[in-house]
Amino acid sequence: MWVSSAPLRISLAGGGTDLPAYAHRFGGTVLGASVDLRVTVFGRRARTATVIRACLDSCGSADSVDGLANPYAREALKRYWDGSPVDLFSAGDVPGGSGMGSSAAFCVALVAGLSGKERSPHDLAMAASGIEMDGLGRPVGRQDHFLSALGGFRQLHFATDGRVTVEDVPVADDVVRRLDEELVLHFTGTSRDAGAVLGDQARAAGSGERGTEARLHEIKELTGPLREALTRGDSTEVGRILGRHWELKRGLGARVSLPGVDRAYRDALAAGATGGKLLGAGGGGFLLLHVPAAAREGVRAAMAVHGMPEQPFRFDPAGARLSRL
């Protein structure tokens, strides 16, 4: 039996510039961090004649890989499974499609468990991202897989030739504790398929649409000021940069935001939040806000009016984990 897990992530700046449609032309840069919310996969040799029994998107049995409902599991098993009967079960700390990289974390954890050898975090991230990008043809980048496999605060650089390089971002322990207190997540109540939202953006970037390119250029440039704010411990500036990121991101496509999210965001700012953005591709999921301590209760009350509960979390440097029992 084995148990593997991988963290979810928060993308702080540069999100979207890792998409191949942009990165292969201009190079991309993303700054993000792993959190203590995770996806866990359990696997064991099956004691039945059924080839696969899986509790993934839904519970059921299958006599072949193609019979599985979960596309990520299908592709991972095709690539990394030895063919012996297996029971699989997965669980996540947040709903899928909520902008925190849960599909990438699932792929990272599943590849780690299915592989017959220990993989480096870089190799694990490349293998997991290959499931989505090459195997399933999804219009996504590799930032989620790298942040999930490696953990910590990282700046990722996506070269035009497809290479990925990683820099550690030094954030002092007292700054991390302040961010834990002042950055809050609220669930919008809406989940979505990131591929559908990112597909619009990828098509616009790939076609050379000038407005999309200009916004992505500026989003990429925000990684520098955000890194400076993190390293000097200026959490208020982090909030302002998140807000600018969201202003730019909303112009990338009609499906990036929702009217209800825009109203809730305006009310959060009026209650004292300094800035924030929807995580991931947008279109729903989690809204990340920077909220000074004095405004915490007011913002919480404002979000409650919109039916958007708070999701507790903390930053956690741990990347993917695997235990064989």
Side-chain angles (χ1 to χ4, degrees), residues 229-295:
L230 288 172
T231 54
R232 71 173 183 265
D234 190 344
S235 57
T236 299
E237 182 63 14
V238 170
R240 293 195 185 103
I241 295 170
L242 291 175
R244 178 56 183 157
H245 195 296
W246 181 231
E247 291 173 9
L248 292 165
K249 186 174 177 177
R250 280 188 295 188
L252 292 176
R255 291 192 282 185
V256 170
S257 191
L258 300 167
V261 172
D262 290 337
R263 289 191 294 270
Y265 182 63
R266 288 195 296 268
D267 287 350
L269 294 180
T274 66
K277 68 184 185 76
L278 277 180
L279 294 181
F286 281 99
L287 178 64
L288 176 70
L289 298 169
H290 173 258
V291 184

Side-chain angles (χ1 to χ4, degrees), residues 94-108:
V94 301
S98 54
M100 297 190 71
S102 57
S103 64
F106 173 73
C107 290
V108 167

Side-chain angles (χ1 to χ4, degrees), residues 17 22 25-26 201 204-205 208-222 244-245 247-249 251-252:
T17 69
Y22 178 88
R25 298 176 64 204
F26 305 106
Q201 180 181 313
E209 202 280 312
R210 294 296 180 86
T212 297
E213 287 182 4
R215 286 177 179 274
L216 288 170
H217 290 337
E218 189 170 346
I219 285 172
K220 180 170 64 176
E221 291 170 1
L222 290 176
R244 178 56 183 157
H245 195 296
E247 291 173 9
L248 292 165
K249 186 174 177 177
L252 292 176

Side-chain angles (χ1 to χ4, degrees), residues 4-11 33 35 37-41 56-57 70 72-73 90-111 128 131-132 138 140-141 143-145 147-149 187 190-195 279-281 285-286:
S4 60
S5 71
L8 304 181
R9 64 93 185 99
I10 286 178
S11 178
V35 300
L37 305 171
R38 300 178 74 89
V39 172
T40 302
V41 178
L56 297 161
D57 283 342
N70 185 303
Y72 308 104
S90 70
D93 289 332
V94 301
S98 54
M100 297 190 71
S102 57
S103 64
F106 173 73
C107 290
V108 167
L110 188 54
V111 171
I131 290 171
E132 292 200 64
R138 288 171 57 79
V140 300
Q143 62 150 312
D144 295 357
H145 311 84
L147 289 171
S148 187
F187 185 52
T190 303
S191 299
R192 78 289 177 272
D193 178 7
L279 294 181
F286 281 99

Side-chain angles (χ1 to χ4, degrees), residues 153 171 175-183 230 235 315:
F153 283 84
V171 185
V175 176
V176 175
R177 288 192 292 270
R178 192 180 320 138
L179 294 172
D180 285 340
E181 294 299 322
E182 296 183 5
L183 290 180
L230 288 172
S235 57
F315 290 101

